[in-house]
């Protein structure tokens, strides 16, 4: 059974780099997953389209893991991102390249990515958008865990302290130690109530812990962009 789409499909460029004399090696996000393809004549019109945050329709050819771009056209209005919204978009792209297996269909991830880009372009608050995307990505890849119950199935207690067991979920602990989460913060996260004190900063710590094991110990380059003066 071939995974090659005979017609064009929606796609975004996650990353592109020069390849051989005039081609580019491009990582695409599609509803069929992350696809890598060679774009010929990358210095021509197609090359100007092969940049992040542009909704595309792409026809992929070939049965191997490395495809060829047969046809590529704009499929809507480009999303213009500036400043920290741009850094956020690059962060999403790097997350997808690092975490999404090649040719593993995740149409919900594609839809959420497209919606998140639009929200970033509209200037909506960055942190809730990023935490939501991280959470949905982990959940869709099968790495998610409950925020309102612990690893034993007991409800999260507002006055409880919890640590993340990455492969299992949240475990209640009774001795203070680094990296813990309080129950009130976790319950606010479960309800996506970002107005609750400490919920956003706790969500950032929780997602970092949850993502770290799946990133194999290599830091995300795009995170450094947020630290620039």
């Amino acid at each position: 059974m071939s995974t090659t789409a005979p017609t064009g499909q929606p796609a975004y460029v996650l990353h592109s780099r020069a390849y051989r004399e005039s081609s580019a090696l491009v990582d695409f996000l599609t509803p069929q997953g992350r696809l890598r393809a060679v774009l010929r004549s990358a210095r021509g019109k197609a090359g100007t389209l092969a940049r992040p945050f542009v909704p595309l329709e792409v026809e992929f050819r070939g049965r191997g893991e490395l495809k060829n771009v047969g046809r590529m056209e704009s499929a809507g209005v480009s999303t213009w991102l500036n400043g920290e919204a741009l850094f956020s978009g690059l962060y999403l792209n790097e997350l997808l390249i690092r975490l999404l297996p090649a040719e593993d269909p995740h149409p919900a991830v594609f839809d959420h990515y497209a919606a998140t880009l639009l929200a970033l372009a509209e200037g909506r608050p960055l942190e809730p958008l990023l935490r939501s995307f991280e959470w949905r990505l982990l959940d869709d890849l099968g790495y998610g865990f409950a925020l309102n119950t612990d690893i034993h199935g007991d409800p999260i207690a507002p006055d409880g302290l919890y640590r993340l067991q990455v492969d299992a979920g949240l475990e209640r602990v009774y001795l203070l130690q680094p990296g813990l989460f309080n129950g009130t913060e976790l319950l606010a996260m479960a309800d996506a109530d970002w107005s609750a004190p400490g919920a956003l900063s706790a969500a950032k710590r929780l997602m970092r812990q949850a993502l770290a094991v799946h990133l194999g110990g290599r830091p995300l380059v795009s995170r450094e962009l947020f630290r620039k003066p």
Side-chain angles (χ1 to χ4, degrees):
M1 180 178 172
S2 171
T3 57
T4 304
T7 56
Q9 60 178 302
Y12 284 91
V13 169
L14 295 176
H15 186 259
S16 177
R17 62 182 182 275
Y19 181 69
R20 295 184 177 163
E21 286 187 11
S22 61
S23 299
L25 198 59
V26 185
D27 283 294
F28 291 94
L29 177 67
T30 78
Q32 295 304 307
R34 181 174 58 81
L35 304 180
R36 179 166 288 178
V38 176
L39 175 65
R40 312 286 177 191
S41 303
R43 294 173 190 164
K45 180 186 174 186
T48 63
L49 283 177
R51 63 183 193 274
F53 320 129
V54 178
L56 301 169
E57 183 174 291
V58 183
E59 181 185 335
F60 296 99
R61 297 175 181 169
R63 298 188 178 185
E65 193 168 300
L66 184 61
K67 315 287 186 197
N68 285 297
V69 175
R71 176 177 60 83
M72 185 166 71
E73 298 172 356
S74 174
V77 179
S78 301
T79 305
W80 294 103
L81 302 179
N82 296 297
E84 291 206 333
L86 173 61
F87 299 160
S88 298
L90 295 173
Y91 171 70
L92 300 185
N93 286 5
E94 190 178 8
L95 262 189
L96 290 166
I97 289 171
R98 293 280 295 275
L99 292 183
L100 206 57
E103 301 192 59
D104 188 11
H106 286 283
V109 169
F110 181 87
D111 291 343
H112 193 208
Y113 175 81
T116 303
L117 289 186
L118 288 175
L120 287 171
E122 289 168 0
R124 284 171 50 189
L126 300 179
E127 294 288 333
L129 291 174
L130 295 180
R131 302 298 80 83
S132 172
F133 187 85
E134 291 163 342
W135 176 256
R136 293 271 294 272
L137 179 60
L138 285 170
D139 197 47
D140 212 66
L141 292 176
Y143 304 140
F145 49 90
L147 289 168
N148 54 6
T149 57
D150 67 15
I151 58 175
H152 304 296
D154 296 326
I156 295 294
D159 60 347
L161 290 173
Y162 296 84
R163 66 181 173 195
L164 177 63
Q165 299 280 25
V166 173
D167 295 328
L170 295 159
E171 179 186 26
R172 187 165 186 177
V173 295
Y174 295 89
L175 291 174
L176 205 56
Q177 53 191 275
L180 296 183
F181 302 90
N182 70 53
T184 304
E185 294 166 347
L186 294 169
L187 292 170
M189 285 182 228
D191 292 335
D193 177 10
W194 304 120
S195 64
L200 268 177
S201 58
K204 187 171 187 174
R205 285 194 300 114
L206 183 68
M207 288 296 97
R208 286 220 170 180
Q209 289 183 24
L211 287 166
V213 68
H214 305 297
L215 292 170
R218 288 189 297 132
L220 289 161
V221 176
S222 52
R223 276 184 183 154
E224 297 302 315
L225 296 170
F226 291 96
R227 298 196 178 109
K228 302 293 185 201

